[in-house]
Amino acid sequence: MKSMIAAIEGMHCEGCAETIKALLSLEAGVEAVGVSYHEGRARVSYDPAAVDPAKLVAAIEKCGYKVRSTA
């Protein structure tokens, strides 16, 4: 299991955070997701054999948000 923290631009409310959480949760290999509107971040625990960080970033950006950085 690996984890990724993504700094996200474009969230305007808790509803945005919940949308991102729901979309990431749908990705195969994602074990846990936490998204904070106030911190502007998502923390994702995932199986690197099933999904890679680029796919997780694409899932976030697909719904109109911008990922500034990942760690």
Side-chain angles (χ1 to χ4, degrees), residues 5-66:
I5 298 173
I8 303 169
E9 288 180 1
M11 288 193 286
H12 302 290
C13 63
E14 288 296 331
C16 294
E18 289 300 317
T19 297
I20 293 169
K21 182 178 179 180
L23 288 170
L24 288 171
S25 295
L26 293 173
E27 293 293 324
V30 171
E31 296 293 323
V33 180
V35 182
S36 172
Y37 158 66
H38 295 292
E39 294 178 8
R41 280 190 265 209
R43 179 183 300 270
V44 185
S45 295
Y46 65 95
D47 177 357
V51 67
D52 63 25
K55 188 166 183 181
L56 300 174
V57 168
I60 295 168
E61 292 187 338
K62 180 179 171 182
C63 55
Y65 303 99
K66 173 79 174 138

